[in-house]
Amino acid sequence: MRAQARNGVFAVAGVAALCVFHACVIRCGAPAYGGVLTAAAALVLIWLPGCFLRDILSGTQEELRLTQSLVCGLALFAAVSVAASWSGVHALIYLPAVLGAWQAVRRRGMGVPWKKRAAPLGIWLAVLLVYGICAADYAHATALGVVTPNQDFHYNVANVDSLMQGFPPAQLRFAGMTLRYHFLTELTAAGLCMATGLGAFDMLGFFVTPLLLLAMLCVIWECGCFLFRDGKKASGWQIAFLLLFSCAGLYKVLDRGLSPFWNLMIRHLITNINGMVLATLLMAAVPGLYEWCMRNPRSQSAFVYLVLGVLLLTFSKAPIAGVAVIALVCASAVESIRGRTFRPFLKAAVVAAVFAAIYFGYFSKNAQGAVELSLTGTLYKS
């Protein structure tokens, strides 16, 4: 009876949170159906195809199932989004739906063990309320009458529009230049815009970030339970510190309570549209995928997940990926010395080579120098 009552209270609170968020979004001028449409598109085009690919690579292995499915789904959706943008045939964006439909029929469901994800789901509902309150930052001027334009947000919206018009996207700040920036969040939003018909402004401002927040919380929870002995407690503390004390350890925060990016605590996640949530999701996934790769040294699929995770993190937030790659190389060197085998170090070297090829072959040619790998600068601004 207690469990049923608790589940009932949780369901009522969840519906109330969703209703409040929905009301805030509509008040800000977004379409009423946008959230449901975006969630359905993400389910069919990202999550279910990711589950299909994960089952092919790992079979019945249950460890890190959600994280690996998300990495596979995001990688496939990014590739299809590039193909649709480059060819101009936006209907290509629906190709993953074939795998998604087959996965739903084969597994008879969405493949999400919701009972094991109750904690991150509950936290997400609370975060959703905060996001609804902050949605006014991206409100339509016609809805509220007076708004203060956010320069970075409008730049990202323009990048989404550019990605929908062709690939590679144009660098809007320099005429005739190609955008060489970590644009995975914008690419994901562009793909969802192609699939749903929603505008780039509404997709970035109201609909894609809440879904990424849910995925981020679930990945942190799952990887924490996998990496730590007392997994649930460790995961809970990780999420609490992330949402409530971000930037609180930096000396620059002490004088005015703000980070160098002028964001405070949870607002750093929900107002820094340019890849912050997706980068945090992937940054949490990479250590878990690396540990799984080390525990399964002969598994090729484990190494594939790690490479995909670092690749996605590089295109989501390249400087953070650089720090992560350095950490992986150091950890692999120690592991090679302890185990008297070069296999962990060789795997890390391949991952580092992939990152270096992307960074020096693509990002280093950036006209405005916006993607620079600096350990002190990256840690200082995080």
Side-chain angles (χ1 to χ4, degrees):
M1 293 297 292
R2 286 186 177 181
Q4 292 180 350
R6 185 169 60 249
N7 292 337
V9 172
F10 183 81
V12 172
V15 171
L18 290 172
C19 289
V20 171
F21 171 76
H22 190 64
C24 292
V25 166
I26 294 176
R27 180 66 183 89
C28 291
Y33 57 87
V36 176
L37 201 59
T38 303
L43 174 67
V44 176
L45 300 178
I46 299 178
W47 170 249
L48 289 176
C51 291
F52 179 85
L53 295 176
R54 194 266 178 195
D55 286 351
I56 291 177
L57 291 172
S58 300
T60 58
Q61 176 71 36
E62 288 298 322
E63 289 181 323
L64 296 184
R65 179 180 181 82
L66 184 145
T67 301
Q68 293 167 353
S69 297
L70 278 173
V71 167
C72 290
L74 285 169
L76 176 63
F77 189 70
V80 174
S81 298
V82 169
S85 175
W86 179 75
S87 65
V89 183
H90 288 184
L92 291 176
I93 203 68
Y94 298 110
L95 287 177
V98 178
L99 300 181
W102 175 249
Q103 176 70 11
V105 172
R106 188 168 66 95
R107 295 296 295 264
R108 296 182 181 181
M110 296 185 293
V112 182
W114 291 113
K115 291 183 179 180
K116 296 181 180 181
R117 306 286 179 257
L121 184 60
I123 297 170
W124 175 70
L125 292 172
V127 173
L128 203 60
L129 290 175
V130 180
Y131 189 84
I133 297 172
C134 296
D137 289 353
Y138 314 116
H140 292 262
T142 53
L144 297 185
V146 178
V147 296
T148 302
N150 183 311
Q151 179 181 348
D152 286 345
F153 174 69
H154 285 85
Y155 174 65
N156 295 330
V157 170
N159 289 340
V160 175
D161 282 327
S162 180
L163 282 163
M164 287 193 290
Q165 294 173 18
F167 195 91
Q171 170 56 270
L172 302 177
R173 294 173 177 173
F174 300 91
M177 301 289 294
T178 299
L179 178 66
R180 298 182 182 275
Y181 197 62
H182 32 231
F183 52 72
L184 183 60
T185 298
E186 288 98 319
L187 181 62
T188 304
L192 290 172
C193 286
M194 296 179 204
T196 61
L198 295 170
F201 190 102
D202 292 327
M203 182 60 70
L204 269 185
F206 305 111
F207 301 129
V208 71
T209 302
L211 294 178
L212 291 176
L213 277 168
L214 175 60
M216 179 198 74
L217 292 171
C218 289
V219 167
I220 293 175
W221 186 268
E222 183 178 64
C223 289
C225 292
F226 175 70
L227 290 171
F228 299 102
R229 181 176 300 175
D230 193 358
K232 292 184 178 180
K233 183 181 293 186
S235 298
W237 279 113
Q238 286 183 83
I239 293 174
F241 279 111
L242 174 67
L243 298 180
L244 302 177
F245 302 105
S246 294
C247 301
L250 298 177
Y251 69 94
K252 283 291 185 180
V253 178
L254 299 179
D255 57 346
R256 53 179 180 161
L258 296 175
S259 75
F261 281 147
W262 306 285
N263 292 300
L264 180 62
M265 298 182 184
I266 192 174
R267 288 181 65 87
H268 193 65
L269 286 174
I270 61 180
T271 61
N272 189 343
I273 292 297
N274 192 11
M276 199 59 217
V277 176
L278 187 54
T280 305
L281 184 161
L282 294 167
M283 184 172 60
V286 166
L289 296 174
Y290 172 77
E291 177 62 21
W292 199 71
C293 184
M294 292 300 102
R295 293 184 188 182
N296 300 273
R298 298 187 180 278
S299 172
Q300 299 300 320
S301 61
F303 185 59
V304 170
Y305 292 134
L306 179 60
V307 173
L308 284 178
V310 172
L311 186 65
L312 291 172
L313 180 57
T314 302
F315 278 101
S316 177
K317 214 69 171 176
I320 294 178
V323 175
V325 167
I326 293 173
L328 293 185
V329 171
C330 294
S332 298
V334 174
E335 191 69 22
S336 295
I337 294 173
R338 291 174 58 187
R340 297 182 180 181
T341 173
F342 284 103
R343 182 174 294 172
F345 188 76
L346 289 176
K347 289 182 177 180
V350 172
V351 172
V354 171
F355 170 78
I358 298 172
Y359 181 80
F360 293 107
Y362 186 79
F363 290 135
S364 63
K365 298 179 180 179
N366 192 341
Q368 58 177 333
V371 182
E372 295 183 6
L373 178 57
S374 170
L375 292 180
T376 56
T378 299
L379 297 175
Y380 166 79
K381 296 177 180 178
S382 297

